Amino acid sequence: MTAPNRNALWARAFVDELAEGGVSAVCITPGSRSTPLTEAFDRHEDVHVFSHLDERSSAYFALGRARRTGDVTPLVCTSGTAAANFHPAVIEAYQSRVPLLLLTADRPPELRDSGANQTIDQEKLYGDAVRWYKDLPEPEAEPRKLRSLRTTAARALSEATGTPSGPVHLNVPFRKPLEPTPVEGDVPDDLPELAASGRDGAFVKTTPGVPELGDDELRSLAERISEPRGLVVAGPADAPGVDGEAVAAFAHASGFPVLADPLSGVRFGGHVRVTPTLGGYDSYLDPRVTAEWPDPDVVLRFGASPTSKTLRNYLARTDAEQLVIDPAGEWREAEFTATDLVVADPSRLLTRLSRLLAGPGSAEWRRRFEAAEAAHWEAFDASADAADAETAVPPEGRVLADVAELAPQPSTLFVSNSMPVRDADRFARPTTKARTVLGNRGASGIDGIVSTALGAGSATTDELTLVTGDIAYYHDMNGLLALARCDADATVVLINNDGGGIFHMLPIEEYDPPFTSQFKTPHGLDFEPTADLYDLSYARVAGDDREGFREAYAEATAAEGSHVVEVVTDAEESHRARERLHERVVERLAEDG
Amino acid sequence: MTAPNRNALWARAFVDELAEGGVSAVCITPGSRSTPLTEAFDRHEDVHVFSHLDERSSAYFALGRARRTGDVTPLVCTSGTAAANFHPAVIEAYQSRVPLLLLTADRPPELRDSGANQTIDQEKLYGDAVRWYKDLPEPEAEPRKLRSLRTTAARALSEATGTPSGPVHLNVPFRKPLEPTPVEGDVPDDLPELAASGRDGAFVKTTPGVPELGDDELRSLAERISEPRGLVVAGPADAPGVDGEAVAAFAHASGFPVLADPLSGVRFGGHVRVTPTLGGYDSYLDPRVTAEWPDPDVVLRFGASPTSKTLRNYLARTDAEQLVIDPAGEWREAEFTATDLVVADPSRLLTRLSRLLAGPGSAEWRRRFEAAEAAHWEAFDASADAADAETAVPPEGRVLADVAELAPQPSTLFVSNSMPVRDADRFARPTTKARTVLGNRGASGIDGIVSTALGAGSATTDELTLVTGDIAYYHDMNGLLALARCDADATVVLINNDGGGIFHMLPIEEYDPPFTSQFKTPHGLDFEPTADLYDLSYARVAGDDREGFREAYAEATAAEGSHVVEVVTDAEESHRARERLHERVVERLAEDG
């Protein structure tokens, strides 16, 4: 490999090693200091460049891709505050174990802390929220340094996709010339081909391992959990998701019902046909319902903490052995009622356990959950088309139910914080249809939602639907630029209740002021002009117009291009409708005993 | 002071101390965990609440207010990635010495790193980019703890506005109930009034001092700089700015020309009448012009590094004693040719020095600069109305000249990175008119520009004009929400050259690809719909229509409400016009010798 100058050589060798390591796309925001990296990525035939303008959106876009695929999409930015705009996505990636590779261009060392323009302290910029940080040495066309560079590239991918996956930050200093300007004598003619690599392709190959139990430990665990009453609790999945077939095999062998978070990767898909997959627990695990139920003997949990507070509270008050299965050995269980931490990859563990279990547990126990589940969906169906306020289901619930039902196959559905993921949790019914449902539940922010969704969509040929509230839509409106710029297509279902609807769920609702002015904070924005700005089709339907929504959504997903379907709702009415529906389910089940 | 529970008491005592310490406004983004702080700020009669939705914009808005006033506008956000969205503004504030107070609500300690929802590691979130960090203890209605709280509030203000000013981060944990719900026994009835404060008002008062030279050192310095040929270089000012009268007094006593950066605070204002204030140096300090000039004997520099690269290069190649005057003792001079660091407040030092100087220096030296300055403006004026491409001035130059001339008095003018500040540097002519010109030159990012401008405008009754390029406008479009939400009025001059025009100035222009696809990156956005979205008036004028712009701008500043005046330009043509105008000035001056 040769190049017109040392910077170009350095960047091209680095990008080459990344590409050999499997990197097929990169997100770049324009800037001067990062020119060598940008040029090297742009000229590499095997790497697709997504060009963004807002670094915050760019980082969330890369996060979305990596969340969908489990693969690294590197990010490039110039020096200065550009790099700080990555920070929110870095934290989300760290907490939800999504691989990221942050390549921040920097000035050479002597210009740091010197008053030089656009120069900030980028060292360890993201603090402890990365798996690995390294300040690269200054570029030089020297075999040993180039070997160290290629090793760093390979290690960065390995660290980012390790256990747990997460962000890696490499700070990359360059001094001028930044362009591929020929510099006499900068790159020796006799530099070994492929920068001292002795073989074709990657200079370094990484073979990852994952934590697994020994055979004795596995048998002992299988004995412990061979109990009549068990539960599987599948929380939001780490990228690229848990294996639905493994969960199905375990559920079949154990007879344990699977409480499947909408983001767990196991609520939807072919395995649901043969697996007792439950999605209504947020409604029926109310203390008034479960008061007379026996406790489970054993609970197997994997993934992050479940979205449903009702479920978390239920688990906290049951007297059961609760095993948290986590390949990274982190104890993600904030009620502190788990009794065991099992450090193992859940898919492999469940598959192996399913071969060793003593036999299916209590059928009565399973039927109890299935009956409660049925009651929840019956209550929903009974009033899904009701128009009167007293019996209506919340429009947001219908929207999530309809999207889960109507989305084309296969679909990637992205659900925003704070309300859509909760409504998906309660109203997106388990189905055998092919849906990959994703959300940002690492830090559960409402930032970067549009970009994360579009990034996830960019990684597949799935139809992409984003369901978002108005605050999250507003917060990352800049992300919509990717629709045209990155040739992405999406249907955005925008649930507009003009402000922070979630605050109606909190006691602060009773205190006004400051409730309206500082919490709900209606903005009064009419989002239709965003369609003109970003060249989207725009349809608006009233929250109580179910048929209108179903038609508009079906039309949007069937048509070319990108679409916004706005559903206008009233947060307070919806909150009351959620409460009333919940009460109807609880009353019905409490009557049944 | 009493309150329904310990959280409310804690937050109210804290806010009370801040208000007594001079805080009159706060920027709040809605969230649950921050409820006690939000409630306490909202109920305080002396504190105005600016409610934002995007934390990044909120932080830049607070930065803008503080940059304009020098006073602290605290920021409140909830736990999670919300806090990370502050990071870009924190870095800009750190580097440009603007006081900020970041109040990030957090979960109680046991929930950190536990998998709990919306819980991230907020400890030292901004690394070294703050002047002070403290993790507050958990709220308690106990006299000693409340005294520590009030001391912390007072110290936070003192650290933020110290020398140098900058951001302070307090992480504030709360456990439920977050609302002002009465909690029996939480706040003792016999808690001393005013939380153990023995006097009215502030519990802690701070009396700040600034570095000043002793009399002997001052005399010695005055002797050293009493030379025939001297220069004053006023770089971008630290908030709240340098005293124009002090600079005028020094210039009068020394006879040194003042090279005044547009952000120095001394290019505009009454003192310009009696001070040789120069603004055209970016044009005439070309090596071809100065080759035959004698070097200066002494250069006094204060403020940050000048915007003009031509000026920085001139200073680097002259053989002169160069004194950097910096109250914080930081050596903000990245050419490393300064010879002396003087740790003192520049306004006070210049005033004191002006009384001790031996007498005005070389008149010939001064006339040389004044003649060059005159040549620059004559060349500009001669072709300001020219329409043919060969002799025309760049439209952006005319826009900056026209805004500097036509803006009502008094005005706050905010100029964006990356091109507007450079065009202001070269084309905004020094004048006695009342203009406060501001920009974000700490890290020189193009992020947060709209919000910083609106924040600055919110602090005064000045007319506010923002001059921004299209990338910066797009990057912080969310900031426009403050126009309606925070009752701000502004005229936004949007110079739209459809992408990164600055890259035409760099050698990468010669390499296409990747120039167009990865650097210039035209977005093709028509920004007119943003006027519908945010309820602005919108006018579009062509770059070569000077009268059209002057009329549209005058109309916008005269009318109520907020306005966008878009000027459509071609970055490449403008770059060539800049170069040609520069050549005309250089040729003319080189001829003159």
Side-chain angles (χ1 to χ4, degrees), chain A residues 42 54-56 81 85 87 95 114 117-119 179 333 443-444 447 474-475 478 485 514 518 521, chain B residues 42 54-56 81 85 87 95 114 117-119 179 333 443-444 447 474-475 478 485 508 518-519 521:
Chain A
D42 187 68
D54 181 339
E55 292 81 10
R56 181 170 68 179
T81 49
N85 280 281
H87 204 167
Q95 306 234 146
S114 73
N117 191 37
Q118 220 172 65
T119 308
E179 302 75 17
E333 197 278 282
S444 300
D447 42 348
Y474 159 78
H475 209 289
N478 278 0
R485 197 174 176 93
Q518 304 305 338
T521 63
Chain B
D42 187 67
D54 181 339
E55 293 82 9
R56 181 171 68 177
T81 49
N85 280 281
H87 203 168
Q95 306 232 147
S114 72
N117 191 36
Q118 221 172 64
T119 308
E179 301 77 17
E333 199 277 285
S444 301
D447 43 347
Y474 158 79
H475 208 289
N478 278 1
R485 197 174 176 94
I508 193 68
Q518 303 307 338
F519 291 85
T521 62

Side-chain angles (χ1 to χ4, degrees), chain A residues 495-515:
Chain A
I495 298 173
N496 188 355
N497 58 28
D498 193 16
I502 195 170
F503 293 107
H504 283 289
M505 290 177 65
L506 298 171
I508 193 68
E509 189 192 14
E510 305 294 318
Y511 301 88
D512 199 358
F515 176 72

Side-chain angles (χ1 to χ4, degrees), chain A residues 383-520:
Chain A
S383 51
D385 290 313
D388 67 300
E390 278 314 300
T391 57
V393 302
E396 293 85 347
R398 277 203 308 246
V399 165
L400 268 303
D402 287 340
V403 167
E405 178 195 338
L406 299 176
Q409 296 198 65
S411 267
T412 293
L413 309 179
F414 199 94
V415 287
S416 172
N417 302 311
S418 51
M419 286 311 296
V421 68
R422 290 185 169 88
D423 283 321
D425 197 13
R426 195 177 280 194
F427 300 112
R429 194 178 310 208
T431 151
T432 55
K433 290 184 182 169
R435 279 104 180 69
T436 304
V437 185
L438 302 172
N440 278 347
R441 290 305 281 180
S444 300
I446 54 151
D447 42 348
I449 295 296
V450 171
S451 297
T452 316
L454 297 184
S458 80
T460 76
T461 54
D462 287 9
E463 277 284 325
L464 173 68
T465 300
L466 161 64
V467 183
T468 178
D470 49 296
I471 303 281
Y473 181 81
Y474 159 78
H475 209 289
D476 190 26
M477 211 143 53
N478 278 0
L480 294 170
L481 185 63
L483 287 169
R485 197 174 176 93
C486 300
D487 203 20
D489 264 15
T491 298
V492 179
V493 176
L494 165 58
I495 298 173
N496 188 355
N497 58 28
D498 193 16
I502 195 170
F503 293 107
H504 283 289
M505 290 177 65
L506 298 171
I508 193 68
E509 189 192 14
E510 305 294 318
Y511 301 88
D512 199 358
F515 176 72
T516 304
S517 61
Q518 304 305 338
F519 290 86
K520 188 169 165 56

